[in-house]
Amino acid sequence: MDNSVIDNHLLNNSETSTDLSIFKWWEKKRILYNISIGISGVFIMLIYAKYVQPFEIILALIWGLITNIAYFSGVIIDLSFRFYLKIKINASFLFYIGLIFSILFTLLLALGYYESKTSSF
């Protein structure tokens, strides 16, 4: 049987979910999250390639660390809803909403930064 089917069943059934199974599910999704955030940052840096300084690459890596810390809030929200509030939450929905928000925020932040560097006020 497909592991994702088992994972989804466990995550949608709070009686059988454990802290560990929820944490493992979120960790499997972290790779997709990191790749998506990385691609969005690289996309903006490629558009503004002639303005990118070496220290900005280091800042982009630090941004990746910050977004991974923020990613962990999804696990905390998921666990809090399930175990403290006794509310079944769709982890996939929570993941994709967070992913879309993180990508848009990354794009807007990087776009604003490079536009402010290139504009002539």
Side-chain angles (χ1 to χ4, degrees):
M1 182 176 249
D2 184 16
N3 282 342
S4 63
V5 172
I6 294 169
D7 287 345
N8 287 334
H9 173 72
L10 287 175
L11 284 171
N12 292 320
N13 186 351
S14 63
E15 289 77 30
T16 59
S17 294
T18 64
D19 294 351
L20 185 58
S21 68
I22 291 169
F23 184 77
K24 283 181 180 179
W25 185 89
W26 279 95
E27 286 305 306
K28 285 181 186 178
K29 299 292 184 189
R30 188 182 293 271
I31 295 169
L32 173 62
Y33 180 83
N34 285 331
I35 290 170
S36 300
I37 299 300
I39 288 172
S40 62
V42 168
F43 175 73
I44 295 293
M45 289 180 117
L46 288 174
I47 291 173
Y48 292 96
K50 66 181 181 179
Y51 303 105
V52 175
Q53 301 296 318
F55 78 92
E56 293 167 343
I57 295 169
I58 294 169
L59 289 177
L61 294 173
I62 292 170
W63 179 250
L65 178 64
I66 292 168
T67 60
N68 268 277
I69 292 168
Y71 178 85
F72 192 68
S73 67
V75 177
I76 293 168
I77 291 169
D78 193 359
L79 289 171
S80 296
F81 270 77
R82 287 174 192 279
F83 295 107
Y84 300 114
L85 301 176
K86 303 298 184 210
I87 297 172
K88 290 182 182 180
I89 189 168
N90 186 327
S92 292
F93 176 76
L94 185 61
F95 170 76
Y96 286 109
I97 290 296
L99 177 64
I100 291 166
F101 175 79
S102 296
I103 290 170
L104 289 176
F105 190 73
T106 299
L107 289 171
L108 290 174
L109 187 67
L111 185 62
Y113 174 76
Y114 284 111
E115 278 298 311
S116 70
K117 269 181 80 167
T118 61
S119 67
S120 55
F121 280 105

